Amino acid sequence: MDSNRANQDQDEGQDEDQEQGQDGTGSERLPGLLSEEDSDNSSQIEEDTDHNYYTSKTYGPTDPLSRELWVNIDQMDKEKVKIHGILSNTHRQAARVNLSFDFPFYGHFLREVTVATGGFIYTGDVVHRMLTATQYIAPLMANFDPSVSRNSTVIYFDNGTALVVQWDHVHLQDNYNLGSFTFQATLHRDGRIIFAYKEIPVLVTGISSVNHPVKVGLSDAFVVVHKIQQIPNVRRRTIYEYHRVELLKNKITNWTAVEMTPLPTCLQFTSCGPCVTSQIGFNCSWCHKLQRCSSGFDRHRQDWVDSSCPDETKDKICDLVPSTTRQQPFTAAPIPRTTPRAWVTTTARSDMWASHLPTSMPTEASAAESTAAEKKEASLHTGLIIGVLMVMVIMAAVVLVTVYMYHHPMSAASLFFIERRPSRWPAMKFRRGSGHPAYAEVEPMGQEKEGFIVSEQC
């Protein structure tokens, strides 16, 4: 899939005019959270890259904005700053955090994210063990273990317009002596994402990825549910990544920052006309059945395909009165009807067929042929009955053997199949051992806990 990787073409000198994302309600202003009117377009920008869904700007250590984008949590309202007691004392754990605002991510609005100890935020709806694979916001994904140091904490803060998540003085589990890392990710209500780095003791390109992936960037995917025909009432979920933003790791040092601004997507259009005529870099199509605009690649992919939207949107024509049941066009082919001409033709054919009917009684040869045909048909019925009986006997034998092995697990037949069960097949081993570290969710949705709990991996 061509869209699995971000487009790394440089677009120097591009000025982005974004609408201000403030609601004017007088909510608390975070130090370091710049609005568009505060941005200085004349400041030095090391990188300005178009990633199809986002544009990113990287600010170096000497740029004043790199320090202004850092949010000083110590100056925030203490009642809103939360130190997660479990994440701050565990390894490879994740906890859900509810947002007080709708956060647009790849055009989808989120009200809940999952913060992980490994330096990233998981954005998917279904929490599974391989959170590092896709659907993440990763300022610095690595094998961090907050439990190895008392000074390591995972902090988050939500003021109603932005969520700040900070990994403070965290260490790598497989290389503690490298020093502590301090960095944060800020999710704005207008969709902007800020990565800010205060303390990066080593080059990010030198961090080992043997035991844990090392990533800096964004990713999103859609989930497809497959029905397993062999096992009723069991469905398998498959995750397909449709886009990824990979930021340059060698640009991440002390006091650097990355600002990512979302670009328009097809999901923002709520009617057919603006959808099909949009010029935003995506092939947007309108589905009348779903009343939704899409390029076909987003989190609603399965609904788009199951509703036959790709076939419906080929013409890209908007109906004057859209409805779930589309009316047939005026030029549609008429329904075939029985006409006098058609009836005459049929009658003529019937007469012609009748003129060739035999006028005499069947001869002995024809009688012999009919007898042979009857015998052949009888033999076919007999063979079919025998085949059905054989299948039933085989199925009964399989059931009896299964029951016998279940009640006699130490028999020769049981040991034979145990040694050859699917879990010992190399293909199954490869599929299960995907190379992604396993994360476990440590708390139920929407609850805050203090202290430790014992959690089993999913």
Side-chain angles (χ1 to χ4, degrees), residues 70 73 87 93 114-122 137-142 144-146 151-156 164-171 180-186 194-196 198-200 439:
W70 175 264
I73 294 185
L87 296 183
Q93 303 292 319
T114 303
V115 179
T117 57
F120 67 97
I121 301 172
Y122 175 71
I137 300 173
L140 181 52
M141 179 191 296
F144 293 113
D145 185 0
N151 295 327
S152 300
T153 54
V154 178
I155 311 170
Y156 63 94
V164 181
V165 181
Q166 179 171 320
W167 292 263
D168 191 70
H169 293 94
V170 293
H171 294 260
S180 63
F181 295 72
T182 300
F183 55 93
Q184 60 185 209
T186 304
I194 307 296
F195 293 164
K198 181 179 180 181
E199 185 179 0
I200 307 295
Y439 274 77

Side-chain angles (χ1 to χ4, degrees), residues 24-141:
T25 57
S27 59
E28 183 178 1
R29 176 76 175 272
L30 296 180
L33 302 188
L34 298 180
S35 62
E36 294 300 325
E37 62 184 3
D38 296 332
S39 300
D40 184 7
N41 293 330
S42 63
S43 61
Q44 180 183 0
I45 300 175
E46 293 188 0
E47 181 185 2
D48 189 350
T49 307
D50 184 4
H51 304 281
N52 297 335
Y53 288 87
Y54 289 85
T55 57
S56 66
K57 299 178 183 179
T58 302
Y59 303 94
T62 59
D63 197 304
L65 279 178
S66 62
R67 294 180 179 269
E68 294 179 8
L69 291 173
W70 175 264
V71 180
N72 190 350
I73 294 185
D74 295 336
Q75 299 179 0
M76 301 297 102
D77 186 359
K78 300 300 181 181
E79 296 181 357
K80 296 182 179 180
V81 176
K82 298 180 181 180
I83 300 177
H84 202 286
I86 300 176
L87 296 183
S88 301
N89 294 279
T90 53
H91 178 232
R92 289 186 182 177
Q93 303 292 319
R96 302 193 188 193
V97 175
N98 295 321
L99 302 177
S100 62
F101 56 92
D102 291 327
F103 171 67
F105 183 67
Y106 279 90
H108 305 88
F109 288 96
L110 308 180
R111 288 303 297 259
E112 182 183 75
V113 295
T114 303
V115 179
T117 57
F120 67 97
I121 301 172
Y122 175 71
T123 62
D125 298 328
V126 181
V127 178
H128 49 81
R129 297 179 63 186
M130 297 179 293
L131 302 184
T132 60
T134 183
Q135 292 186 311
Y136 56 75
I137 300 173
L140 181 52
M141 179 191 296

Side-chain angles (χ1 to χ4, degrees), residues 397-414:
V398 171
V399 172
L400 292 176
V401 171
T402 304
V403 173
Y404 174 80
M405 290 189 299
Y406 180 80
H407 292 284
H408 300 81
M410 299 306 296
S411 62
S414 300

Side-chain angles (χ1 to χ4, degrees), residues 293-423:
C293 183
S294 174
S295 64
F297 291 95
D298 52 48
R299 296 193 178 190
H300 307 298
R301 170 70 178 177
Q302 186 168 21
D303 292 340
W304 188 263
V305 175
D306 292 346
S307 301
S308 300
C309 294
D311 298 331
E312 178 186 336
T313 58
K314 288 181 180 180
D315 51 3
K316 284 194 172 184
I317 297 177
C318 297
D319 292 343
L320 295 178
V321 183
S323 61
T324 56
T325 304
R326 300 185 62 182
Q327 298 180 355
Q328 294 291 340
F330 181 75
T331 58
I335 301 175
R337 295 180 297 174
T338 303
T339 62
R341 183 177 181 180
W343 183 83
V344 171
T345 304
T346 305
T347 304
R349 289 181 179 179
S350 299
D351 293 342
M352 183 175 61
W353 172 254
S355 64
H356 289 82
L357 291 177
T359 57
S360 60
M361 297 298 293
T363 61
E364 294 180 0
S366 62
E369 290 177 359
S370 63
T371 304
E374 291 176 0
K375 291 182 178 180
K376 184 176 181 180
E377 184 178 2
S379 63
L380 290 176
H381 284 293
T382 305
L384 181 61
I385 294 174
I386 293 175
V388 172
L389 291 176
M390 291 180 63
V391 172
M392 294 178 64
V393 170
I394 293 174
M395 293 178 62
V398 171
V399 172
L400 292 176
V401 171
T402 304
V403 173
Y404 174 80
M405 290 189 299
Y406 180 80
H407 292 284
H408 300 81
M410 299 306 296
S411 62
S414 300
L415 295 176
F416 176 83
F417 285 102
I418 289 175
E419 292 177 354
R420 291 160 179 81
R421 64 184 183 270
S423 61

